[in-house]
Amino acid sequence: RGGRKTILSDAVPAPPQPRIDNALLKALARAHRWRRIIESGECASITELAKAEGVNQSYACRILRLSLLAPSIVTAILNGRHDSDVMLKQLLKPLPARWYEQMKALKLGDNA
């Protein structure tokens, strides 16, 4: 994944690299940018935003939900400390509004 080659040696094991999911990072950034656009009044609605961005309204709604993730989940994603199962596809599904319930739904517990 990512097209990088890794050379493994028997000498000293390298510490595990944080797992950075570029698609997930881009979606998080887009969600927060779109939220600022709507809150600033630049676009009056999600429908108007979707049209301006050239995306489907349903997709815009799913992406905007990422701006409601618990801060600890966002921090874990940004630091590459999230579980490999926490992928964009899973985060685009409806999650509970309460942050601790989001953590339970994503099975992150105290890891994030």
Side-chain angles (χ1 to χ4, degrees):
R1 188 171 193 162
R4 294 184 183 157
K5 294 181 182 180
T6 304
I7 298 174
L8 300 176
S9 170
D10 291 338
V12 177
Q17 295 292 322
R19 187 179 181 293
I20 305 297
D21 187 342
N22 286 331
L24 184 51
L25 292 178
K26 287 178 184 178
L28 275 172
R30 181 176 281 173
H32 288 279
R33 183 173 60 87
W34 287 357
R35 183 174 176 178
R36 279 194 309 273
I37 289 171
I38 289 176
E39 288 176 348
S40 72
E42 192 175 325
C43 288
S45 66
I46 294 175
T47 305
E48 189 178 314
L49 172 75
K51 189 173 182 179
E53 294 288 326
V55 297
N56 183 301
Q57 182 181 351
S58 173
Y59 174 76
C61 288
R62 288 192 310 270
I63 291 293
L64 277 165
R65 274 192 293 225
L66 294 177
S67 68
L68 303 175
L69 285 175
S72 56
I73 295 172
V74 174
T75 301
I77 292 168
L78 293 176
N79 292 334
R81 291 185 290 118
H82 63 286
D83 187 11
S84 60
D85 291 338
V86 180
M87 297 292 188
L88 181 58
K89 186 176 180 180
Q90 184 181 8
L91 290 173
L92 291 179
K93 294 178 182 175
L95 287 170
R98 295 176 190 254
W99 291 343
Y100 69 89
E101 290 175 3
Q102 289 178 6
M103 301 289 285
K104 280 177 57 178
L106 295 172
K107 298 179 179 128
L108 290 177
D110 295 329
N111 297 339

